[in-house]
Amino acid sequence: EEVSLKGLATVEFLVSKGQKIFFIEVNPRIQVEHTITEELARVDLVRAHINIFSGLKLKDLKVEAPIKLGNRASIQARLNMEEYDANKTLLPGLGIIQEYNIVSGPGLRFDGYGKVGYENKGHYDSLLTKIIASSDFGIQDAVKKLIFALERSIVKGIATNKNLLINILKNENFFDYLKWFLIQKDDG
């Protein structure tokens, strides 16, 4: 099918090890997860979007197609201002940020707005920053980088889901679940 669209859109899908593609949805905008595509394709999608609206064609942007991933992998964690209470109810992390230092470096990127003095009153999205880890050596290496960044990043004065993210990534079943999910999709 065909649609008329000027600009970039987000097409969401999963690809199994057997190269089966499973369509999820299309959104006529750049989404919060666009950082994964940027890291995998090594293309600044926001700049590309602006250039297209300025009159350039996709071919003018010199984007290599198809994108050759090889073993390249990226993973994103959403560091949110939130915490669970004793009843396991998710609550906003309220307060004022007293210390804020998100680790970055080779294969690490963060997009966020946190800063010392920011006060969260719980009225808006709890996202503080997105931490994106990428590696040319596969998903296991990207996950190690993400754990490294989360463990060494500091946010004080406000509750975050940092420890929850670390525990999920370090869980011995994390990679088994990913493999199971792809196998189930591949068999489906």
Side-chain angles (χ1 to χ4, degrees):
E1 297 201 24
E2 185 177 313
V3 296
S4 177
L5 172 72
K6 181 177 181 178
L8 299 181
T10 301
V11 179
E12 295 184 23
F13 56 91
L14 295 172
V15 180
S16 71
K17 278 192 170 188
Q19 299 299 306
K20 285 189 179 180
I21 297 173
F22 301 93
F23 173 78
I24 299 173
E25 65 180 346
V26 174
N27 294 294
R29 64 186 177 279
I30 294 177
Q31 292 188 275
V32 71
E33 301 88 359
H34 78 279
T35 55
I36 295 295
T37 304
E38 287 184 333
E39 291 300 314
L40 291 174
R42 295 178 168 105
V43 173
D44 183 334
L45 293 176
V46 175
R47 177 173 284 152
H49 194 63
I50 291 168
N51 286 335
I52 288 170
F53 272 100
S54 298
L56 291 178
K57 303 289 183 201
L58 197 54
K59 66 180 180 180
D60 299 327
L61 302 179
K62 298 183 173 101
V63 175
E64 183 183 322
I67 296 166
K68 296 175 181 75
L69 294 179
N71 288 325
R72 188 150 179 83
S74 292
I75 185 167
Q76 173 180 285
R78 295 173 54 102
L79 187 61
N80 293 331
M81 298 172 286
E82 59 193 20
E83 63 184 332
Y84 287 94
D85 67 9
N87 296 321
K88 302 213 187 285
T89 302
L90 187 62
L91 302 172
L94 305 177
I96 298 173
I97 297 176
Q98 297 166 357
E99 189 175 348
Y100 182 78
N101 183 20
I102 304 299
V103 171
S104 65
L108 291 170
R109 164 184 173 178
F110 71 95
D111 292 1
Y113 64 91
K115 64 180 184 176
V116 172
Y118 174 79
E119 181 176 7
N120 184 30
K121 296 180 181 179
H123 301 300
Y124 304 103
D125 187 347
S126 65
L127 177 64
L128 182 60
T129 190
K130 298 177 290 184
I131 302 174
I132 304 96
S134 301
S135 174
D136 288 325
F137 302 103
I139 190 66
Q140 288 86 358
D141 192 55
V143 169
K144 285 179 189 174
K145 287 181 181 185
L146 185 55
I147 292 168
F148 174 89
L150 283 165
E151 287 180 336
R152 286 158 183 81
S153 293
I154 299 168
V155 179
K156 291 186 179 175
I158 200 163
T160 70
N161 65 337
K162 177 179 140 175
N163 290 332
L164 174 65
L165 294 170
I166 292 168
N167 288 335
I168 290 169
L169 293 167
K170 284 185 163 184
N171 184 291
E172 64 184 31
N173 297 316
F174 180 74
F175 288 108
D176 289 336
Y177 176 73
L178 287 179
K179 289 176 190 171
W180 175 86
F181 181 77
L182 291 173
I183 290 169
Q184 298 305 309
K185 287 289 188 182
D186 206 20
D187 291 344

